Amino acid sequence: MNITDKVVVITGGASGLGGACVDWFVRHGAKVAVLDRRIPDPTADPQIVYLEADVTQADSVAAVMDKIAEQLGEIRVCINCAGIAPAGKTVGRDGALALDKFRQVIDVNLIGSFNVLRLAAEKMLALEPLDADGARGVIINTASVAAFEGQIGQAAYAASKGGVAAMTLPIARDLGPRGVRVNTIAPGVFETPMMAGLNEEFVKPLEQAVQFPKRLGRAEEFAKLAAHIVDNDYLNGEVIRLDGGIRMGPR
């Protein structure tokens, strides 16, 4: 899909991996709607619209999708980057992990992703095809290497991201016959605001666990892969690891 003048919805686009996607797609001619709970200072860029939204809320996200279609036009791409990653052992020093904390991670990372993509897909399926193949849209979700190698304290996070990875193929099968492709990126350890507050003693072992290059991933590398997925019409139903070959140990 040629991204020029296409409308791209990006959740969690105020910073981190989502923010890098916003920058890339705007630079390459797309019109971008950013859904986030934290709205940055207003921008004068007419290609970007920031909308405050809680991805877990069905009615509010539906209203936001209507607003995007009205303000920017036909939604052709949806990239889900909104997520949280609190750690907590199943049973820690203070007892069993609070069920509400586990549920919150599932609500945001898994249910939130599905909530947004189902409503974006509904908009896409109402559009005319873009080409002879019948292409109508592209959906990209964000999982994590934790979906496959969750570490100590990551039960909730790994479960949520494992769910994102597992639903990729069924949703691609649901939507593919009607022209909407669905893929998932499973990033390793990236330079994001979440990582910025960690000390070097914690970060160095993570860098050494990467096969090559021996560093954390850069947010723009995630954005480049998202852009390639949009561009390559034969990529569908895939979970793609972007991790420098890292395989996570138990801690």
Side-chain angles (χ1 to χ4, degrees), residues 67-114:
K67 187 179 293 185
I68 293 168
E70 291 171 7
Q71 292 187 9
L72 294 180
E74 299 176 344
I75 297 171
R76 292 292 184 176
V77 178
C78 174
I79 305 175
N80 280 310
C81 293
I84 57 175
K89 291 184 178 180
T90 306
V91 180
R93 293 177 181 175
D94 299 325
L97 180 68
L99 189 58
D100 284 347
K101 291 184 178 180
F102 188 94
R103 183 180 287 115
Q104 181 188 27
V105 180
I106 300 297
D107 280 348
V108 175
N109 295 354
L110 177 56
I111 296 176
S113 294
F114 183 77

Side-chain angles (χ1 to χ4, degrees), residues 141 163-173 182-184 237-239:
N141 293 319
V164 171
M167 72 181 180
T168 303
L169 182 58
I171 297 173
R173 286 171 164 169
V182 181
N183 292 280
T184 293
E238 293 296 330
V239 179

Side-chain angles (χ1 to χ4, degrees), residues 2-59:
N2 185 332
I3 202 62
T4 304
D5 291 330
K6 301 296 190 304
V7 177
V8 180
V9 175
I10 302 176
T11 69
S15 63
L17 301 179
C21 289
V22 172
D23 292 342
W24 197 97
F25 281 97
V26 168
R27 286 201 315 271
H28 289 79
K31 295 180 286 187
V32 176
V34 179
L35 276 61
D36 207 300
R37 296 190 69 174
R38 298 177 297 104
I39 302 299
D41 293 335
T43 175
D45 193 329
Q47 289 178 273
I48 308 176
V49 173
Y50 288 96
L51 297 163
E52 188 172 353
D54 181 343
V55 297
T56 68
Q57 300 302 307
D59 291 344

